[in-house]
Amino acid sequence: MKKTNIINVATAGLLCLILSCNGTAQQVDQDAVKPLYISDPVDFDTDDPAIWVNAKDPAQSLVIGTDKDTKGGLYVFDLKGKIIPAKTVKGLKRPDNVDIAYGLDLGGKKTDIAITTERYTHKLRIYSLPDMKPVDGGGIPVFEGETQAEFRDLMGIAMYTSADGKIYAVVGRKSGPKEGGYLWQYLLSDNGKGIVKASLVRKFGKYSGKKEIEAIAVDNELGYIYYCDEQFGVRKYYADPAKGNQELSLFGQGDFAVDNEGIAIYKTKGNNGYILVSDQGVRQLKVYDRTGQAGAVNKHPLIATIKYAANQTDGIDIVSVPLNADFKHGLLVAMSDDKTFHFYRWEDLAGKKLDVNP
């Protein structure tokens, strides 16, 4: 069981060292939060995690992580970060981001799914949970009709389940237009044969043009989509296509040392909680108020900065429900650049300043 790669530097007192995947020493603040577990390494290059909560037995929940390579895959881990070979899918062509949806009607039964973006085939790949069997008929093409290669190179993915039970995939790519269509939203359903089909319902989202848009998160309960326009800020839109494509908020500008990258939401009682965004390159999470300010729900102030050990974090995911004795108040999983994912207890990250679910 691999607990940590941290090596204390006794003479410094303030810093410790962690070895990155290229063998060079990286400085980590001594007070940075350490993960409870570090996963087994993947073959090539970790990028994004997603956490599936097993409703019948939360202790048997799974973490699915992408190995971003032309010979990559979806790795499945237990809650100690151990790879489960029988569930891991290999041979995917640069899977980038991954997310989870619960209860899609397929073949007459409710099916939980893991969905990933396969960048170089321009397809969504979808697998049933927990068995990780393909339910996509070989992949679902998206961004059809785009002629520029980067406009079809898939990256981000987030799932939205509406109040009436409809399930949507919100998909991003390497590049796109600056106005009105960087993200495309697809309604998922059964094609009549127990296979997922995707129907395009809208194109939306502004883009600064500075770098790219990869990380996307959806707040199902409050009905919002957030995405990171890297090196620019965090953008907010309605998740329901019927509510229109107006940008509701742009926040986080000037808060990040490098890239604003991975994004996830920790939910507390009364629909309160936090929007977490990784500050790539400086081992930090920026924490914003989920519900905004009093009388201004679209103003999301920065309320905390959390130092942690994961390095060059692209993707993060979090759940705010108890899973097992290790993760009684929630689990955050963060990608690190040594081919691993870090598993953090929420109470360790929250400290005394942030709320912790009982």
Side-chain angles (χ1 to χ4, degrees):
M1 185 183 305
K2 187 178 180 184
K3 289 276 188 165
T4 181
N5 287 332
I6 305 297
I7 305 169
N8 288 328
V9 181
T11 58
L14 295 177
L15 298 173
C16 55
L17 297 176
I18 187 168
L19 293 179
S20 70
C21 58
N22 62 11
T24 59
Q26 304 287 323
Q27 290 186 336
V28 182
D29 285 351
Q30 184 65 40
D31 59 353
V33 179
K34 312 303 188 298
L36 185 63
Y37 299 111
I38 293 178
S39 77
D40 293 336
V42 304
D43 286 341
F44 301 105
D45 182 15
T46 49
D47 193 73
D48 186 56
I51 305 165
W52 174 70
V53 178
N54 186 326
K56 294 181 179 179
D57 184 359
Q60 297 302 312
S61 299
L62 303 171
V63 174
I64 297 95
T66 58
D67 184 11
K68 184 178 64 176
D69 188 84
T70 54
K71 297 179 181 179
L74 280 182
Y75 280 70
V76 180
F77 304 90
D78 64 20
L79 292 181
K80 294 184 185 294
K82 296 299 181 184
I83 293 171
I84 305 174
K87 297 182 183 297
T88 293
V89 177
K90 294 190 177 183
L92 299 179
K93 295 188 181 299
R94 199 178 173 101
D96 203 291
N97 278 204
V98 61
D99 203 6
I100 306 295
Y102 297 86
L104 180 67
D105 285 318
L106 283 182
K109 67 177 183 178
K110 299 288 187 180
T111 304
D112 297 347
I113 57 172
I115 180 167
T116 189
T117 51
E118 191 174 32
R119 182 168 172 179
Y120 290 151
T121 65
H122 315 307
K123 293 180 179 180
L124 300 178
R125 303 306 309 273
I126 306 175
Y127 301 87
S128 58
L129 285 164
D131 54 3
M132 292 297 291
K133 300 300 182 184
V135 290
D136 58 11
I140 300 173
V142 291
F143 295 115
E144 292 182 291
E146 296 283 34
T147 56
Q148 296 185 48
E150 288 192 337
F151 279 29
R152 291 208 69 193
D153 285 347
L154 300 186
M155 296 190 76
I157 182 79
M159 305 304 295
Y160 165 53
T161 302
S162 65
D164 60 359
K166 293 179 180 178
I167 295 177
Y168 300 85
V170 181
V171 189
R173 51 229 172 118
K174 181 67 175 176
S175 188
K178 290 187 176 182
E179 293 287 340
Y182 197 107
L183 302 180
W184 289 16
Q185 186 167 347
Y186 294 84
L187 175 65
L188 302 186
S189 60
D190 192 324
N191 71 352
K193 300 179 181 179
I195 299 297
V196 180
K197 70 175 182 179
S199 303
L200 179 64
V201 295
R202 71 163 167 167
K203 305 174 184 180
F204 71 100
K206 292 182 179 180
Y207 169 47
S208 69
K210 284 184 172 293
K211 193 174 180 185
E212 61 198 24
I213 294 167
E214 180 176 6
I216 311 166
V218 176
D219 190 326
N220 284 324
E221 293 78 9
L222 298 183
Y224 298 121
I225 292 169
Y226 300 91
Y227 65 88
C228 284
D229 190 340
E230 293 181 30
Q231 299 182 358
F232 191 72
V234 181
R235 299 185 185 271
K236 176 182 180 181
Y237 288 78
Y238 286 118
D240 184 346
K243 292 188 175 181
N245 297 334
Q246 175 189 0
E247 182 167 281
L248 303 175
S249 181
L250 171 63
F251 60 95
Q253 292 184 295
D255 292 344
F256 295 87
V258 189
D259 286 340
N260 48 307
E261 268 278 1
I263 186 167
I265 301 169
Y266 185 82
K267 302 170 182 178
T268 60
K269 65 180 180 180
N271 277 335
N272 293 306
Y274 310 106
I275 302 165
L276 309 172
V277 184
S278 66
D279 191 354
Q280 190 181 40
V282 292
R283 302 181 185 274
Q284 293 180 353
L285 294 170
K286 297 292 183 178
V287 183
Y288 300 89
D289 194 296
R290 179 188 178 198
T291 55
Q293 298 175 338
V297 297
N298 294 319
K299 291 186 180 297
H300 298 277
L302 176 66
I303 57 177
T305 297
I306 301 170
K307 298 176 181 179
Y308 70 163
N311 193 50
Q312 293 290 335
T313 298
D314 276 333
I316 61 173
D317 195 21
I318 194 167
V319 294
S320 47
V321 296
L323 298 178
N324 60 11
D326 284 334
F327 303 107
K328 294 182 290 186
H329 308 284
L331 162 65
L332 181 136
V333 180
M335 164 267 174
S336 193
D337 69 346
D338 58 353
K339 303 181 183 182
T340 69
F341 295 96
H342 288 199
F343 290 37
Y344 293 87
R345 301 190 307 174
W346 172 248
E347 60 267 37
D348 293 341
L349 295 165
K352 297 180 180 179
K353 187 170 184 178
L354 303 177
D355 291 337
V356 175
N357 286 334

